[in-house]
Amino acid sequence: MKKAHVIVDSAYVIGEIDSRIYGSFIEHIGRAVYGGIFDPGNELSDEEGFRTDVLSLTRDLRVPIVRYPGGNFVSGYNWEDGIGPLSSRPKVPDLAWLAIETNQIGVDEFVDWARKAGTEVLMAVNLGSRGGEAAKNLLEYCNFPKGTYWSDLRIQNGHSEPHAIKTWCLGNEMDGPWQIGGKTPQEYGRIACEVAKVMKWLDPTIELVACGSSNSGMPTFPQWEATVLEAAYEHVDYISMHQYYGNNENDIRNYLAKTVDMENFIQTVVATCDHVKGLKRSKKTVNICFDEWNVWYHSFPENARLKPWQEAPKFNEDIYNFEDALFVGLALITLIRHADRVKIACLAQLVNVIAPILTYKDGVIKQTIFYPYLHASTYGRGTALNCIIDSPRYDTKEFSNVNLLDCVVVSNDFEGMVTIFAVNRDADEGMDVTVSLGGFGEFSVVEHIVLANPDLKACNDEADPNRVAPSRLDVGRVEGGNLSVFFPSLSWNVVRLLVGKS
Ligand code: AHR
């Protein structure tokens, strides 16, 4: 049996967790909007056509913010097509995904959905095929109280109160050659700066996200971030990060080590932000909005066979297995560990398209990745604490010296709870772990939730929706400030402690 020792103390503060790191994303793509959140005529939908089962799971997940309407889609989107009477909204070709967009859901309906789901909107503007004028008009439509052309049109369309959208993305993946209206960093930096200025003049309360690189493998990374921030630093609040992973080579040891890449990616973007801060002698810190992350690779072969120009086709519907849930757990640990700089993150996406929730006609499935996301969003609020992890290590074909045990600790003073999130990456055996917890006085274990499964490829489906689901494990032993607990081979663990600070 392998052993590991974790030392954590109430003084090892990384930072307050911004609950928006548990955000998600809904794009006009595949069945995310149509057939996902919106399914008029279905018995499970409410009077506005919203799927009540999806709303209810979104509320269960306590999703604090949802990015909308894209993604690549936004770079060709005319937001005006999605407002006003439904019968006069045009059907248009969506050139990002070669599909037909019916515009039956637009900004007003999405804000209504978000209110019902108990979440905020992270709105993206089109800086691909359009520019500052359209972005300014959308902001005016959403946030200006009344008495101007666009704000009065919103009122006429049935929304007397402003949508009050606080955070806005200045385009999407503008470094990507696949993007409608892709740009060089110089072109994008200049446009982002000018659009940001105007948007903040119109509504000084908003926060803005500049596009970072589409992924860490882009040839222009991280010079893209440096150039864009040199142009727009004083006008933006966040730089975006996007990254998807997969077990393409079917090597569990290497797959679970890929969060080391995510870790390095975050560290490089933080360093680049601070480099520009130094160049500018600025007092302000630009933080990270990791607004697309997930596992994405299962659906690629099926996508290649898709016929273009369909309305809401089945597209990018990755069916997640148990090993993907472990990866998502590790990614959540990585995000929490960077709570000092990662202030927003979006699991991409929420429903059907690379999502924790899948809809079918008569119900929903909680995919395997639903569970670590649920646990982190439920119990991972408060202060992120650093852990000193003394664990056996391993090498993979891409990474060396990787901890078999990865973990992070969150302390919630308000609830008097401390939660340990941990993944045992060891494919061979379980691990006896000793956690030395300082600064919290006496503590006891409330529960030990575990996600483990003998079959790495096990999925949840209509026939067996609970094949991969969490269970409770022995809570371990507490003795003299030390917790002894067992983490099974290849498992996601959530250990919840009741603390009485003394
Ligand atoms: O989330 C799916 C797509 O991935 C988004 O539209 C795009 O931004 C990214 O490449």
Side-chain angles (χ1 to χ4, degrees):
M1 188 70 59
K2 294 201 182 66
K3 290 188 186 323
H5 185 198
V6 176
I7 305 173
V8 61
D9 193 280
S10 61
Y12 297 174
V13 172
I14 297 170
E16 278 308 298
I17 295 169
D18 188 321
S19 62
R20 295 176 301 170
I21 67 167
Y22 305 119
S24 191
F25 177 27
I26 294 273
E27 175 168 5
H28 284 252
I29 173 178
R31 298 192 309 130
V33 171
Y34 307 107
I37 62 167
F38 181 68
D39 198 0
N42 189 299
E43 280 183 5
L44 290 163
S45 296
D46 66 12
E47 63 296 344
E48 287 179 288
F50 296 133
R51 283 284 291 251
T52 53
D53 49 356
V54 172
L55 277 170
S56 155
L57 286 186
T58 306
R59 282 191 296 263
D60 289 351
L61 287 166
R62 295 181 62 194
V63 180
I65 193 163
V66 180
R67 185 164 175 250
Y68 175 84
N72 296 340
F73 172 82
V74 79
S75 296
Y77 183 47
N78 293 331
W79 68 268
E80 304 88 333
D81 292 346
I83 57 169
L86 292 175
S87 56
S88 49
R89 297 188 190 179
K91 277 193 182 182
V92 295
D94 157 23
L95 293 172
W97 301 113
L98 307 186
I100 297 296
E101 171 57 47
T102 63
N103 283 303
Q104 295 303 289
I105 292 285
V107 53
D108 290 325
E109 292 80 19
F110 190 73
V111 168
D112 291 343
W113 176 85
R115 300 270 186 268
K116 287 187 171 182
T119 191
E120 244 183 76
V121 178
L122 171 57
M123 183 68 80
V125 299
N126 175 357
L127 295 187
S129 66
R130 305 186 77 188
E133 182 69 4
K136 189 279 291 170
N137 292 346
L138 176 59
L139 177 64
E140 182 186 322
Y141 184 85
C142 290
N143 284 13
F144 209 79
K146 60 179 181 183
T148 65
Y149 176 77
W150 291 106
S151 59
D152 285 346
L153 193 54
R154 181 198 70 238
I155 295 168
Q156 194 183 310
N157 288 339
H159 289 78
S160 54
E161 290 304 313
H163 293 328
I165 296 172
K166 183 180 165 204
T167 316
W168 295 72
C169 299
L170 297 167
N172 177 71
E173 295 188 348
M174 299 308 305
D175 61 333
W178 59 85
Q179 200 68 213
I180 301 168
K183 302 192 178 359
T184 66
Q186 290 78 11
E187 287 166 348
Y188 174 69
R190 177 103 182 96
I191 289 168
C193 172
E194 292 307 315
V195 176
K197 260 168 39 184
V198 169
M199 288 179 76
K200 285 198 172 176
W201 284 337
L202 186 67
D203 183 350
T205 68
I206 59 171
E207 294 188 326
L208 294 173
V209 184
C211 287
S213 298
S214 298
N215 58 68
S216 61
M218 294 299 288
T220 46
F221 171 74
Q223 187 56 50
W224 170 277
E225 280 76 358
T227 306
V228 167
L229 286 175
E230 278 187 48
Y233 195 88
E234 293 303 339
H235 301 282
V236 301
D237 304 279
Y238 308 94
I239 186 101
S240 75
M241 293 178 66
H242 291 182
Q243 191 76 42
Y244 295 95
Y245 294 94
N247 188 8
N248 313 62
E249 57 285 321
N250 196 19
D251 173 350
I252 185 67
R253 292 159 51 84
N254 193 56
Y255 182 31
L256 297 185
K258 288 183 182 180
T259 49
V260 172
D261 175 78
M262 189 174 181
E263 184 87 41
N264 294 339
F265 188 16
I266 295 173
Q267 282 172 9
T268 307
V269 175
V270 167
T272 307
C273 290
D274 293 349
H275 164 73
V276 178
K277 178 179 182 174
L279 288 177
K280 301 243 167 220
R281 277 78 170 142
S282 178
K283 291 201 172 16
K284 161 182 165 180
T285 299
V286 167
N287 285 314
I288 290 172
C289 174
F290 208 136
D291 52 29
E292 286 187 36
W293 69 273
N294 202 350
V295 172
W296 184 13
Y297 78 109
H298 295 286
S299 57
F300 292 166
E302 201 183 332
N303 289 346
R305 294 190 289 272
L306 189 77
K307 289 202 179 57
W309 313 123
Q310 300 182 62
E311 287 178 19
K314 186 162 179 278
F315 182 47
N316 281 313
E317 298 202 7
D318 274 43
I319 304 300
Y320 292 117
N321 58 31
F322 169 63
E323 64 189 20
D324 299 325
L326 293 178
F327 181 86
V328 164
L330 285 160
L332 286 159
I333 289 172
T334 308
L335 291 171
I336 296 170
R337 186 152 49 223
H338 289 280
D340 54 336
R341 298 303 292 271
V342 178
K343 299 294 174 186
I344 306 173
C346 302
L347 177 70
Q349 301 191 9
L350 184 62
V351 188
N352 291 333
V353 173
I354 43 174
I357 303 170
L358 272 185
T359 61
Y360 57 102
K361 191 172 152 284
D362 303 321
V364 278
I365 290 167
K366 294 176 189 168
Q367 291 232 59
T368 60
I369 63 168
F370 182 92
Y371 292 107
Y373 182 35
L374 173 75
H375 297 151
S377 180
T378 308
Y379 304 121
R381 296 179 187 227
T383 309
L385 300 179
N386 202 11
C387 301
I388 298 172
I389 306 170
D390 181 11
S391 154
R393 291 169 184 248
Y394 74 120
D395 295 333
T396 76
K397 65 175 181 224
E398 280 183 88
F399 306 95
S400 38
N401 223 17
V402 180
N403 272 334
L404 279 173
L405 174 71
D406 200 7
C407 67
V408 75
V409 172
V410 175
S411 143
N412 186 322
D413 285 353
F414 183 67
E415 291 173 359
M417 298 290 298
V418 166
T419 303
I420 304 164
F421 296 101
V423 170
N424 179 4
R425 289 182 170 118
D426 194 344
D428 301 323
E429 55 186 350
M431 195 180 279
D432 279 325
V433 179
T434 307
V435 183
S436 303
L437 188 73
F440 287 101
E442 299 276 304
F443 65 91
S444 58
V445 186
V446 174
E447 62 178 343
H448 176 181
I449 305 169
V450 71
L451 196 66
N453 200 291
D455 180 2
L456 287 174
K457 307 296 179 190
C459 303
N460 295 336
D461 56 21
E462 272 184 80
D464 192 350
N466 296 314
R467 195 172 294 137
V468 180
S471 56
R472 301 282 181 280
L473 260 198
D474 190 275
V475 294
R477 258 179 317 110
V478 178
E479 227 173 76
N482 288 328
L483 162 73
S484 304
V485 65
F486 175 73
F487 294 154
S489 162
L490 296 175
S491 59
W492 159 255
N493 299 269
V494 182
V495 184
R496 301 181 59 229
L497 312 174
L498 183 66
V499 297
K501 240 181 181 161
S502 62

PDB file of all heavy atoms in Angstrom, residues 25 27 29 67 71-73 97 172-173 178 242 244 292 296 348-349 354, ligand 1:
ATOM      1  N   PHE A  25     -21.053  27.265 -19.633  1.00  0.00           N
ATOM      2  CA  PHE A  25     -21.073  27.896 -20.959  1.00  0.00           C
ATOM      3  C   PHE A  25     -22.212  27.295 -21.780  1.00  0.00           C
ATOM      4  O   PHE A  25     -22.398  26.079 -21.787  1.00  0.00           O
ATOM      5  CB  PHE A  25     -19.701  27.602 -21.592  1.00  0.00           C
ATOM      6  CG  PHE A  25     -19.455  28.077 -22.983  1.00  0.00           C
ATOM      7  CD1 PHE A  25     -20.107  29.180 -23.511  1.00  0.00           C
ATOM      8  CD2 PHE A  25     -18.513  27.431 -23.777  1.00  0.00           C
ATOM      9  CE1 PHE A  25     -19.842  29.612 -24.802  1.00  0.00           C
ATOM     10  CE2 PHE A  25     -18.233  27.855 -25.060  1.00  0.00           C
ATOM     11  CZ  PHE A  25     -18.907  28.945 -25.573  1.00  0.00           C
ATOM     12  N   GLU A  27     -23.490  27.737 -25.725  1.00  0.00           N
ATOM     13  CA  GLU A  27     -23.269  28.337 -27.038  1.00  0.00           C
ATOM     14  C   GLU A  27     -24.411  27.925 -27.961  1.00  0.00           C
ATOM     15  O   GLU A  27     -25.039  26.875 -27.762  1.00  0.00           O
ATOM     16  CB  GLU A  27     -21.922  27.819 -27.588  1.00  0.00           C
ATOM     17  CG  GLU A  27     -21.616  28.279 -29.007  1.00  0.00           C
ATOM     18  CD  GLU A  27     -20.170  28.014 -29.425  1.00  0.00           C
ATOM     19  OE1 GLU A  27     -19.419  27.388 -28.655  1.00  0.00           O
ATOM     20  OE2 GLU A  27     -19.802  28.458 -30.530  1.00  0.00           O
ATOM     21  N   ILE A  29     -24.884  26.038 -30.550  1.00  0.00           N
ATOM     22  CA  ILE A  29     -24.148  24.969 -31.237  1.00  0.00           C
ATOM     23  C   ILE A  29     -24.861  23.662 -30.917  1.00  0.00           C
ATOM     24  O   ILE A  29     -25.307  23.450 -29.770  1.00  0.00           O
ATOM     25  CB  ILE A  29     -22.668  24.929 -30.761  1.00  0.00           C
ATOM     26  CG1 ILE A  29     -21.921  23.712 -31.325  1.00  0.00           C
ATOM     27  CG2 ILE A  29     -22.549  24.928 -29.260  1.00  0.00           C
ATOM     28  CD1 ILE A  29     -20.430  23.646 -30.918  1.00  0.00           C
ATOM     29  N   ARG A  67     -21.464  31.594 -19.672  1.00  0.00           N
ATOM     30  CA  ARG A  67     -21.014  32.356 -20.847  1.00  0.00           C
ATOM     31  C   ARG A  67     -21.982  32.107 -22.005  1.00  0.00           C
ATOM     32  O   ARG A  67     -22.481  30.991 -22.184  1.00  0.00           O
ATOM     33  CB  ARG A  67     -19.596  31.899 -21.202  1.00  0.00           C
ATOM     34  CG  ARG A  67     -18.929  32.658 -22.317  1.00  0.00           C
ATOM     35  CD  ARG A  67     -17.430  32.364 -22.270  1.00  0.00           C
ATOM     36  NE  ARG A  67     -16.711  32.946 -23.376  1.00  0.00           N
ATOM     37  CZ  ARG A  67     -16.181  32.227 -24.361  1.00  0.00           C
ATOM     38  NH1 ARG A  67     -16.292  30.911 -24.388  1.00  0.00           N
ATOM     39  NH2 ARG A  67     -15.512  32.834 -25.330  1.00  0.00           N
ATOM     40  N   GLY A  71     -18.065  31.418 -27.653  1.00  0.00           N
ATOM     41  CA  GLY A  71     -17.747  30.419 -28.646  1.00  0.00           C
ATOM     42  C   GLY A  71     -17.618  30.987 -30.073  1.00  0.00           C
ATOM     43  O   GLY A  71     -17.792  32.175 -30.349  1.00  0.00           O
ATOM     44  N   ASN A  72     -17.198  30.088 -30.941  1.00  0.00           N
ATOM     45  CA  ASN A  72     -16.992  30.453 -32.341  1.00  0.00           C
ATOM     46  C   ASN A  72     -18.250  31.069 -32.944  1.00  0.00           C
ATOM     47  O   ASN A  72     -18.179  31.916 -33.840  1.00  0.00           O
ATOM     48  CB  ASN A  72     -16.583  29.216 -33.150  1.00  0.00           C
ATOM     49  CG  ASN A  72     -15.245  28.642 -32.696  1.00  0.00           C
ATOM     50  OD1 ASN A  72     -14.454  29.336 -32.059  1.00  0.00           O
ATOM     51  ND2 ASN A  72     -14.984  27.385 -33.002  1.00  0.00           N
ATOM     52  N   PHE A  73     -19.411  30.638 -32.459  1.00  0.00           N
ATOM     53  CA  PHE A  73     -20.680  31.140 -32.987  1.00  0.00           C
ATOM     54  C   PHE A  73     -20.752  32.665 -32.913  1.00  0.00           C
ATOM     55  O   PHE A  73     -21.266  33.324 -33.831  1.00  0.00           O
ATOM     56  CB  PHE A  73     -21.841  30.515 -32.201  1.00  0.00           C
ATOM     57  CG  PHE A  73     -23.186  31.109 -32.524  1.00  0.00           C
ATOM     58  CD1 PHE A  73     -23.899  30.687 -33.644  1.00  0.00           C
ATOM     59  CD2 PHE A  73     -23.751  32.095 -31.717  1.00  0.00           C
ATOM     60  CE1 PHE A  73     -25.139  31.243 -33.952  1.00  0.00           C
ATOM     61  CE2 PHE A  73     -24.977  32.651 -32.015  1.00  0.00           C
ATOM     62  CZ  PHE A  73     -25.681  32.225 -33.141  1.00  0.00           C
ATOM     63  N   TRP A  97     -20.332  26.819 -37.358  1.00  0.00           N
ATOM     64  CA  TRP A  97     -20.583  25.381 -37.198  1.00  0.00           C
ATOM     65  C   TRP A  97     -21.348  24.787 -38.392  1.00  0.00           C
ATOM     66  O   TRP A  97     -21.813  23.650 -38.316  1.00  0.00           O
ATOM     67  CB  TRP A  97     -21.348  25.127 -35.891  1.00  0.00           C
ATOM     68  CG  TRP A  97     -20.589  25.617 -34.697  1.00  0.00           C
ATOM     69  CD1 TRP A  97     -20.917  26.644 -33.878  1.00  0.00           C
ATOM     70  CD2 TRP A  97     -19.339  25.095 -34.199  1.00  0.00           C
ATOM     71  NE1 TRP A  97     -19.975  26.819 -32.895  1.00  0.00           N
ATOM     72  CE2 TRP A  97     -18.988  25.880 -33.065  1.00  0.00           C
ATOM     73  CE3 TRP A  97     -18.478  24.068 -34.586  1.00  0.00           C
ATOM     74  CZ2 TRP A  97     -17.823  25.651 -32.329  1.00  0.00           C
ATOM     75  CZ3 TRP A  97     -17.320  23.846 -33.849  1.00  0.00           C
ATOM     76  CH2 TRP A  97     -17.008  24.627 -32.741  1.00  0.00           C
ATOM     77  N   ASN A 172     -14.123  36.107 -29.182  1.00  0.00           N
ATOM     78  CA  ASN A 172     -13.802  34.723 -28.841  1.00  0.00           C
ATOM     79  C   ASN A 172     -12.647  34.226 -29.702  1.00  0.00           C
ATOM     80  O   ASN A 172     -12.677  34.380 -30.935  1.00  0.00           O
ATOM     81  CB  ASN A 172     -15.021  33.827 -29.103  1.00  0.00           C
ATOM     82  CG  ASN A 172     -14.723  32.358 -28.844  1.00  0.00           C
ATOM     83  OD1 ASN A 172     -14.559  31.962 -27.691  1.00  0.00           O
ATOM     84  ND2 ASN A 172     -14.630  31.554 -29.898  1.00  0.00           N
ATOM     85  N   GLU A 173     -11.640  33.656 -29.069  1.00  0.00           N
ATOM     86  CA  GLU A 173     -10.522  32.981 -29.767  1.00  0.00           C
ATOM     87  C   GLU A 173     -10.091  33.739 -31.024  1.00  0.00           C
ATOM     88  O   GLU A 173     -10.035  33.174 -32.124  1.00  0.00           O
ATOM     89  CB  GLU A 173     -10.898  31.533 -30.102  1.00  0.00           C
ATOM     90  CG  GLU A 173     -11.112  30.698 -28.857  1.00  0.00           C
ATOM     91  CD  GLU A 173     -11.295  29.199 -29.094  1.00  0.00           C
ATOM     92  OE1 GLU A 173     -11.492  28.785 -30.248  1.00  0.00           O
ATOM     93  OE2 GLU A 173     -11.236  28.447 -28.110  1.00  0.00           O
ATOM     94  N   TRP A 178      -9.375  29.553 -37.565  1.00  0.00           N
ATOM     95  CA  TRP A 178     -10.735  29.038 -37.813  1.00  0.00           C
ATOM     96  C   TRP A 178     -11.798  30.064 -37.452  1.00  0.00           C
ATOM     97  O   TRP A 178     -12.969  29.879 -37.751  1.00  0.00           O
ATOM     98  CB  TRP A 178     -10.977  27.771 -36.967  1.00  0.00           C
ATOM     99  CG  TRP A 178     -10.821  28.022 -35.497  1.00  0.00           C
ATOM    100  CD1 TRP A 178     -11.771  28.503 -34.634  1.00  0.00           C
ATOM    101  CD2 TRP A 178      -9.639  27.851 -34.731  1.00  0.00           C
ATOM    102  NE1 TRP A 178     -11.245  28.639 -33.372  1.00  0.00           N
ATOM    103  CE2 TRP A 178      -9.930  28.245 -33.407  1.00  0.00           C
ATOM    104  CE3 TRP A 178      -8.340  27.403 -35.033  1.00  0.00           C
ATOM    105  CZ2 TRP A 178      -8.982  28.210 -32.390  1.00  0.00           C
ATOM    106  CZ3 TRP A 178      -7.404  27.376 -34.014  1.00  0.00           C
ATOM    107  CH2 TRP A 178      -7.724  27.765 -32.720  1.00  0.00           C
ATOM    108  N   HIS A 242      -8.395  29.161 -22.711  1.00  0.00           N
ATOM    109  CA  HIS A 242      -9.201  28.026 -23.172  1.00  0.00           C
ATOM    110  C   HIS A 242      -8.296  26.804 -23.249  1.00  0.00           C
ATOM    111  O   HIS A 242      -7.155  26.924 -23.725  1.00  0.00           O
ATOM    112  CB  HIS A 242      -9.755  28.261 -24.586  1.00  0.00           C
ATOM    113  CG  HIS A 242     -10.805  29.328 -24.669  1.00  0.00           C
ATOM    114  ND1 HIS A 242     -11.441  29.640 -25.844  1.00  0.00           N
ATOM    115  CD2 HIS A 242     -11.358  30.121 -23.715  1.00  0.00           C
ATOM    116  CE1 HIS A 242     -12.334  30.606 -25.616  1.00  0.00           C
ATOM    117  NE2 HIS A 242     -12.293  30.922 -24.331  1.00  0.00           N
ATOM    118  N   TYR A 244      -8.775  22.298 -23.821  1.00  0.00           N
ATOM    119  CA  TYR A 244      -9.490  21.018 -23.754  1.00  0.00           C
ATOM    120  C   TYR A 244      -8.458  19.897 -23.740  1.00  0.00           C
ATOM    121  O   TYR A 244      -7.394  20.032 -24.337  1.00  0.00           O
ATOM    122  CB  TYR A 244     -10.410  20.853 -24.966  1.00  0.00           C
ATOM    123  CG  TYR A 244     -11.524  21.875 -25.015  1.00  0.00           C
ATOM    124  CD1 TYR A 244     -11.384  23.050 -25.752  1.00  0.00           C
ATOM    125  CD2 TYR A 244     -12.707  21.670 -24.312  1.00  0.00           C
ATOM    126  CE1 TYR A 244     -12.406  23.998 -25.793  1.00  0.00           C
ATOM    127  CE2 TYR A 244     -13.734  22.609 -24.350  1.00  0.00           C
ATOM    128  CZ  TYR A 244     -13.578  23.764 -25.094  1.00  0.00           C
ATOM    129  OH  TYR A 244     -14.593  24.696 -25.121  1.00  0.00           O
ATOM    130  N   GLU A 292     -13.182  28.553 -21.082  1.00  0.00           N
ATOM    131  CA  GLU A 292     -13.506  27.270 -21.721  1.00  0.00           C
ATOM    132  C   GLU A 292     -12.498  26.234 -21.237  1.00  0.00           C
ATOM    133  O   GLU A 292     -11.297  26.377 -21.489  1.00  0.00           O
ATOM    134  CB  GLU A 292     -13.441  27.352 -23.252  1.00  0.00           C
ATOM    135  CG  GLU A 292     -14.592  28.097 -23.875  1.00  0.00           C
ATOM    136  CD  GLU A 292     -14.592  28.019 -25.403  1.00  0.00           C
ATOM    137  OE1 GLU A 292     -14.227  26.978 -25.952  1.00  0.00           O
ATOM    138  OE2 GLU A 292     -14.958  29.047 -26.014  1.00  0.00           O
ATOM    139  N   TRP A 296     -12.579  16.994 -24.233  1.00  0.00           N
ATOM    140  CA  TRP A 296     -13.279  17.050 -25.535  1.00  0.00           C
ATOM    141  C   TRP A 296     -12.494  16.234 -26.544  1.00  0.00           C
ATOM    142  O   TRP A 296     -11.430  16.647 -26.967  1.00  0.00           O
ATOM    143  CB  TRP A 296     -13.389  18.522 -25.992  1.00  0.00           C
ATOM    144  CG  TRP A 296     -14.168  18.746 -27.259  1.00  0.00           C
ATOM    145  CD1 TRP A 296     -14.986  17.867 -27.912  1.00  0.00           C
ATOM    146  CD2 TRP A 296     -14.202  19.953 -28.037  1.00  0.00           C
ATOM    147  NE1 TRP A 296     -15.543  18.450 -29.023  1.00  0.00           N
ATOM    148  CE2 TRP A 296     -15.077  19.737 -29.129  1.00  0.00           C
ATOM    149  CE3 TRP A 296     -13.590  21.207 -27.913  1.00  0.00           C
ATOM    150  CZ2 TRP A 296     -15.344  20.720 -30.087  1.00  0.00           C
ATOM    151  CZ3 TRP A 296     -13.855  22.190 -28.863  1.00  0.00           C
ATOM    152  CH2 TRP A 296     -14.730  21.945 -29.936  1.00  0.00           C
ATOM    153  N   ALA A 348     -16.898  23.983 -20.179  1.00  0.00           N
ATOM    154  CA  ALA A 348     -17.533  24.104 -21.493  1.00  0.00           C
ATOM    155  C   ALA A 348     -17.930  22.701 -21.957  1.00  0.00           C
ATOM    156  O   ALA A 348     -17.054  21.880 -22.135  1.00  0.00           O
ATOM    157  CB  ALA A 348     -16.558  24.733 -22.484  1.00  0.00           C
ATOM    158  N   GLN A 349     -19.229  22.506 -22.138  1.00  0.00           N
ATOM    159  CA  GLN A 349     -20.321  23.451 -21.929  1.00  0.00           C
ATOM    160  C   GLN A 349     -21.273  22.862 -20.892  1.00  0.00           C
ATOM    161  O   GLN A 349     -20.882  21.937 -20.200  1.00  0.00           O
ATOM    162  CB  GLN A 349     -20.989  23.743 -23.261  1.00  0.00           C
ATOM    163  CG  GLN A 349     -19.988  24.328 -24.281  1.00  0.00           C
ATOM    164  CD  GLN A 349     -20.622  24.886 -25.553  1.00  0.00           C
ATOM    165  OE1 GLN A 349     -21.821  25.018 -25.685  1.00  0.00           O
ATOM    166  NE2 GLN A 349     -19.766  25.209 -26.520  1.00  0.00           N
ATOM    167  N   ILE A 354     -20.475  18.710 -25.233  1.00  0.00           N
ATOM    168  CA  ILE A 354     -19.373  18.530 -24.263  1.00  0.00           C
ATOM    169  C   ILE A 354     -19.812  18.991 -22.861  1.00  0.00           C
ATOM    170  O   ILE A 354     -19.258  19.924 -22.301  1.00  0.00           O
ATOM    171  CB  ILE A 354     -18.057  19.206 -24.739  1.00  0.00           C
ATOM    172  CG1 ILE A 354     -18.278  20.603 -25.332  1.00  0.00           C
ATOM    173  CG2 ILE A 354     -17.317  18.316 -25.700  1.00  0.00           C
ATOM    174  CD1 ILE A 354     -16.965  21.354 -25.671  1.00  0.00           C
TER     175      ILE A 354
HETATM  176  O1  AHR B   1     -16.770  24.969 -26.841  1.00  0.00           O
HETATM  177  C1  AHR B   1     -16.688  24.635 -28.199  1.00  0.00           C
HETATM  178  C2  AHR B   1     -15.781  25.560 -28.999  1.00  0.00           C
HETATM  179  O2  AHR B   1     -14.458  25.403 -28.585  1.00  0.00           O
HETATM  180  C3  AHR B   1     -16.034  27.041 -28.862  1.00  0.00           C
HETATM  181  O3  AHR B   1     -17.020  27.499 -29.721  1.00  0.00           O
HETATM  182  C4  AHR B   1     -14.713  27.632 -29.238  1.00  0.00           C
HETATM  183  O4  AHR B   1     -14.492  28.865 -28.615  1.00  0.00           O
HETATM  184  C5  AHR B   1     -13.705  26.572 -28.854  1.00  0.00           C
HETATM  185  O5  AHR B   1     -12.805  26.341 -29.862  1.00  0.00           O
END
